[in-house]
C-alpha cells in the first residue's frame, strides 16, 4: 500500500469556540506528526508530496464539481480580507458572527450570500469550530490534493511507484488485489457540504476522491461515465456533508456508522435513506450507535454496512477513516481499543478485497494514540483477504 503525506497539511492552526471560550482547535497539526512518526518508526515508507501551483489549480477545479465557487473563494480569501479590514490580527481566526435563518418565512426563497465580508463567515459555515487563519487555505488545498492524488495512484502500477521511491511498498502477491492508497488528509472533510464549513472541515475530501475517480474513468473511456462508488464513513461522527453531496446520486452509496445524537446533531438518522429520485432511495445508509457501545456492537453494524456495499457492487471504495471511535477520545464515546482497528480493517478488506480503495484520514484526537491506532489499522488491512 501507498501512504501519501504533505507537510503543508500541518500549517493550518485555527481557533474555535468551545462553550464560551476561544481556544486552539482540538484538531491540531500534532495529530499528523504523531502518525508520520509512528509510520517511520515502523519502517513504513511515506510518499511525501508537495503540491505545485498546477496541482493546486487542478485540485480546485475538482473541488468546484461539488462545492460552490463563491464558498471556496470565501474560504481562500476571508482571512486576508479580514486582516486588511482590521477585523483580525495575523495570528487570529475568521469565525462566524451570524448564521442564515433556515426556517424563516421572511427570507424565502432562501438566504443569499451577504455582501458584507464579516457576515459571509456565518453564511459559509454551520458552527464555530471551523475558523480560518492565515495558512488555513494552504492546508485545505493540500489535503484535498492528497485525496485527488490518492485516486490517481490507484491507477498507477504499484511496482512503478516502488521504483520511484526506491523501496518495496507492496507485499509479494498483493498486485492481484484491489489496490489501496492512504492519504493523511488534514484538515478532514466529511462535515463540509457544498457551501458550508463545519466540524473542522472545509473541502469534502471524500467528494474530491469520488469526483477524481469519475474523471479518471471518463478520460479512460473517452466519454463521461458514472461508475458505482461506495463511501464507507468510519469516523465517530456522522458525515453530514458527504451524505448531503451524494444524497440524490444513485451511483454513490454512502454508509456511515456513528455516535447517535452526537455532533453534528441534526443528521445521521436511519430515516435518511437518499432520494428523492427513486434510484437513489436506499443509497444512503445511516447506522447510529449508542453511547458507550462496545466493539462487538460496532462489528454488528459494520457487517450490516458491508452487506449494503457488497450489494451495491462498487468499482471503487472511499473510506473516511476517523480514530475518534477510540475509547479515550474526547469527542467520542465508544469503547473501541487499539487492537480492534486491526479487526475493523481486516473485516472491510475481507469483504471487498478486489475493490480498489482510498483511505482518507478524518478525525481522532488522542494524539499519542493516533500513531498506534493507525498502525493497527494498516496491519489489519494488510492481513485481509
Ligand atoms: C465541538 C467540536 C466540534 C467538532 C466535532 C467533530 C469533529 C470530528 N466544538 N468530526 O468527524 O471529528
Ligand atoms: Zn469525527
Amino acid at each position: 500500500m501507498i501512504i501519501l503525506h504533505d507537510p503543508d497539511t500541518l500549517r493550518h492552526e485555527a481557533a474555535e469556540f468551545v462553550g464560551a471560550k476561544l481556544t486552539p482547535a482540538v484538531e491540531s497539526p500534532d495529530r499528523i506528526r504523531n502518525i508520520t512518526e509512528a509510520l517511520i518508526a515502523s519502517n513504513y515508507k511515506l510518499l511525501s508530496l508537495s503540491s505545485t501551483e498546477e496541482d493546486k489549480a487542478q485540485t480546485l477545479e475538482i473541488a468546484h464539481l461539488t462545492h460552490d465557487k463563491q464558498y471556496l473563494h470565501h474560504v481562500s480569501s476571508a482571512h486576508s480580507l479580514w486582516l486588511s479590514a482590521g477585523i483580525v490580527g495575523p495570528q487570529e481566526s475568521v469565525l462566524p458572527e451570524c448564521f442564515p435563518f433556515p426556517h424563516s418565512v421572511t427570507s424565502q426563497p432562501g438566504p443569499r450570500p451577504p455582501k458584507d465580508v464579516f457576515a459571509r463567515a456565518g453564511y459559509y459555515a454551520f458552527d464555530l469550530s471551523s475558523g480560518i487563519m492565515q495558512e488555513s487555505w494552504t492546508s485545505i488545498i493540500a489535503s484535498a490534493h492528497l485525496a485527488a492524488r490518492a485516486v490517481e495512484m490507484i491507477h498507477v502500477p504499484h511496482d512503478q511507484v516502488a521504483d520511484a521511491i526506491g523501496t518495496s511498498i507492496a507485499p509479494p502477491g498483493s498486485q492481484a488485489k484491489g489496490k489501496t492508497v492512504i492519504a493523511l488528509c488534514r484538515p478532514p472533510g466529511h462535515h463540509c457540504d457544498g457551501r458550508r464549513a463545519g466540524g473542522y472541515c472545509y473541502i469534502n475530501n471524500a467528494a474530491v476522491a469520488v469526483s477524481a475517480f469519475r474523471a479518471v474513468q471518463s478520460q479512460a473511456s473517452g466519454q463521461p461515465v458514472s461508475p458505482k462508488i461506495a463511501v464507507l464513513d468510519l469516523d465517530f461522527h456522522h458525515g453530514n456533508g458527504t451524505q448531503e453531496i451524494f444524497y440524490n446520486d444513485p451511483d454513490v452509496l454512502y454508509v456511515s456508522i456513528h455516535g447517535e445524537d452526537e455532533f453534528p446533531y441534526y443528521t445521521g438518522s436511519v430515516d435518511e435513506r437518499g432520494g428523492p429520485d427513486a434510484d437513489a432511495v436506499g443509497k444512503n445508509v445511516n447506522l447510529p450507535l449508542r453511547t458507550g457501545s462496545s466493539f462487538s456492537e460496532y462489528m454488528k453494524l459494520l457487517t450490516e454496512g458491508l452487506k449494503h456495499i457488497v450489494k451495491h457492487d462498487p468499482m471503487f471504495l472511499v473510506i473516511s477513516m476517523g480514530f475518534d471511535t477510540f475509547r479515550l477520545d474526547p469527542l467520542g464515546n465508544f469503547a473501541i481499543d487499539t487492537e480492534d482497528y486491526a479487526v475493523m480493517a481486516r473485516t472491510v478488506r475481507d469483504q471487498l478485497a478486489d475493490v480498489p480503495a482510498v483511505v482518507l484520514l478524518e478525525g481522532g484526537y488522542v494524539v499519542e494514540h493516533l500513531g498506534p491506532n493507525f498502525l493497527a489499522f494498516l496491519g489489519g488491512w494488510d492481513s485481509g483477504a
Side-chain angles (χ1 to χ4, degrees):
M1 70 176 67
I2 300 173
I3 305 168
L4 302 181
H5 162 64
D6 183 335
D8 275 350
T9 61
L10 301 176
R11 300 241 214 144
H12 164 68
E13 270 186 90
E16 70 171 320
F17 267 107
V18 179
K21 289 197 181 66
L22 187 64
T23 68
V26 173
E27 196 288 293
S28 75
D30 283 343
R31 300 174 57 240
I32 299 294
R33 280 191 198 102
N34 190 273
I35 295 175
T36 54
E37 281 165 17
L39 288 170
I40 291 163
S42 295
N43 286 318
Y44 275 97
K45 295 295 169 191
L46 276 178
L47 201 46
S48 192
L49 305 179
S50 169
S51 55
T52 63
E53 289 309 311
E54 198 189 334
D55 292 334
K56 288 174 196 167
Q58 272 177 12
T59 302
L60 187 58
E61 218 170 285
I62 297 171
H64 279 147
L65 297 170
T66 51
H67 296 285
D68 181 83
K69 212 164 183 169
Q70 292 184 70
Y71 162 69
L72 292 177
H73 181 256
H74 164 78
V75 176
S76 63
S77 61
H79 191 274
S80 69
L81 288 173
W82 280 38
L83 188 64
S84 19
I87 315 171
V88 285
Q91 305 304 321
E92 292 173 326
S93 296
V94 169
L95 279 165
E97 177 207 24
C98 181
F99 294 105
F101 317 144
H103 303 298
S104 164
V105 286
T106 52
S107 69
Q108 298 301 333
R112 286 179 303 276
K115 290 196 180 66
D116 187 285
V117 62
F118 202 44
R120 279 206 295 270
Y123 183 75
Y124 290 122
F126 69 81
D127 73 359
L128 298 177
S129 288
S130 313
I132 301 170
M133 48 78 78
Q134 202 149 33
E135 297 191 273
S136 293
W137 182 250
T138 301
S139 295
I140 293 163
I141 203 75
S143 185
H145 173 247
L146 288 179
R149 189 61 90 80
V151 172
E152 270 176 41
M153 301 285 262
I154 286 286
H155 298 86
V156 176
H158 278 193
D159 47 357
Q160 271 178 32
V161 181
D163 286 348
I165 64 174
T167 180
S168 170
I169 48 173
S174 71
Q175 289 307 306
K177 297 181 183 177
K179 290 178 196 153
T180 309
V181 182
I182 298 176
L184 298 182
C185 294
R186 176 184 185 269
H190 72 154
H191 292 305
C192 172
D193 65 19
R195 53 151 261 240
R196 270 172 292 249
Y200 312 132
C201 303
Y202 307 83
I203 288 180
N204 193 306
N205 301 316
V208 166
V210 168
S211 300
F213 187 78
R214 285 174 164 164
V216 173
Q217 292 299 318
S218 298
Q219 203 172 15
S221 312
Q223 57 181 336
V225 291
S226 47
K228 281 185 282 176
I229 297 171
V231 180
L232 175 60
D233 193 328
L234 301 178
D235 186 277
F236 175 83
H237 303 94
H238 181 241
N240 60 291
T242 315
Q243 165 172 296
E244 172 150 333
I245 289 169
F246 297 113
Y247 205 64
N248 199 30
D249 189 331
D251 302 315
V252 180
L253 172 68
Y254 176 73
V255 176
S256 172
I257 304 170
H258 50 268
E260 190 170 34
D261 300 329
E262 294 288 332
F263 186 93
Y265 307 115
Y266 305 108
T267 62
S269 102
V270 292
D271 306 333
E272 295 152 18
R273 300 185 58 239
D277 288 2
D279 289 351
V281 175
K283 298 298 181 183
N284 194 90
V285 178
N286 284 330
L287 302 167
L289 200 50
R290 292 191 324 277
T291 297
S293 289
S294 66
F295 185 58
S296 71
E297 290 169 293
Y298 190 93
M299 282 298 286
K300 283 183 209 151
L301 293 192
L302 181 58
T303 305
E304 186 183 338
L306 287 170
K307 277 188 195 148
H308 286 278
I309 296 179
V310 168
K311 195 168 152 230
H312 183 63
D313 189 23
M315 195 179 168
F316 176 54
L317 173 68
V318 179
I319 300 183
S320 275
M321 189 59 212
F323 292 92
D324 37 16
T325 49
F326 183 56
R327 61 187 175 87
L328 298 174
D329 201 279
L331 300 184
N333 52 41
F334 292 163
I336 291 183
D337 217 333
T338 299
E339 62 270 19
D340 298 331
Y341 289 105
V343 180
M344 194 187 290
R346 185 164 56 242
T347 304
V348 175
R349 189 59 168 165
D350 279 345
Q351 291 299 310
L352 297 160
D354 299 324
V355 184
V358 299
V359 179
L360 310 178
L361 184 64
E362 297 283 356
Y365 304 98
V366 196
V367 168
E368 67 275 23
H369 288 275
L370 268 176
N373 289 344
F374 198 87
L375 289 176
F377 184 89
L378 295 186
W381 189 271
D382 270 339
S383 73

